Amino acid sequence: MIERAAAQMELTPMAFVAAAGVRAAKATTGSDARDTDSDAGAVPLDVAQARELLDEVRRLRRLMGNVAGNLNDVARHANSTGQLAPETAAVLDFVRRTNERTDAELMGLLRRLR
């Protein structure tokens, strides 16, 4: 039953159980003003919203994988020749911009969860 429910939310069974545990704990204890992670006023995600967020995180993960590949190419060239490739500055600028974009998108996702 857990595996089926987790699959519907595109989560691993352990991630599903963890999320269910957090929801149960919050429901049991209610909101606590001393809790700095309090999500008073938050609207629970439905399955479609959870899938949308998961798709966004997967897209960001693929993007970061591509960036890591580009950076590895630069490092491989530098290690094998002892010189930086002419495109090194452009790759490093791309890495910086992608990291900033990823940070901004992740912060946006976190705000949507609150």
Side-chain angles (χ1 to χ4, degrees), residues 59-76:
R59 182 181 56 78
L60 289 172
R61 191 170 63 188
R62 277 192 303 274
L63 178 62
M64 293 308 293
N66 291 340
V67 168
N70 291 339
L71 198 52
N72 282 339
D73 290 343
V74 167
R76 186 177 311 113

Side-chain angles (χ1 to χ4, degrees), residues 3-83:
E3 288 87 1
R4 198 171 36 225
Q8 286 178 341
M9 293 187 70
E10 296 183 16
L11 295 172
T12 65
M14 290 306 295
F16 177 83
V17 169
V22 169
R23 282 192 305 272
K26 286 180 179 180
T28 301
T29 61
S31 67
D32 183 353
R34 294 170 296 174
D35 182 3
T36 58
D37 291 332
S38 176
D39 58 352
V43 178
L45 295 177
D46 62 25
V47 173
Q49 291 169 318
R51 285 186 177 147
E52 180 183 332
L53 288 174
L54 185 59
D55 287 344
E56 289 181 47
V57 170
R58 285 180 176 152
R59 182 181 56 78
L60 289 172
R61 191 170 63 188
R62 277 192 303 274
L63 178 62
M64 293 308 293
N66 291 340
V67 168
N70 291 339
L71 198 52
N72 282 339
D73 290 343
V74 167
R76 186 177 311 113
H77 177 79
N79 287 335
S80 66
T81 66
Q83 297 179 355

Side-chain angles (χ1 to χ4, degrees), residues 63-64 67 89-105:
L63 178 62
M64 293 308 293
V67 168
V91 170
L92 293 176
D93 183 55
F94 178 70
V95 169
R96 181 191 51 76
R97 286 184 289 118
T98 302
N99 283 336
E100 289 172 357
R101 180 176 156 207
T102 301
D103 286 346
E105 290 194 35

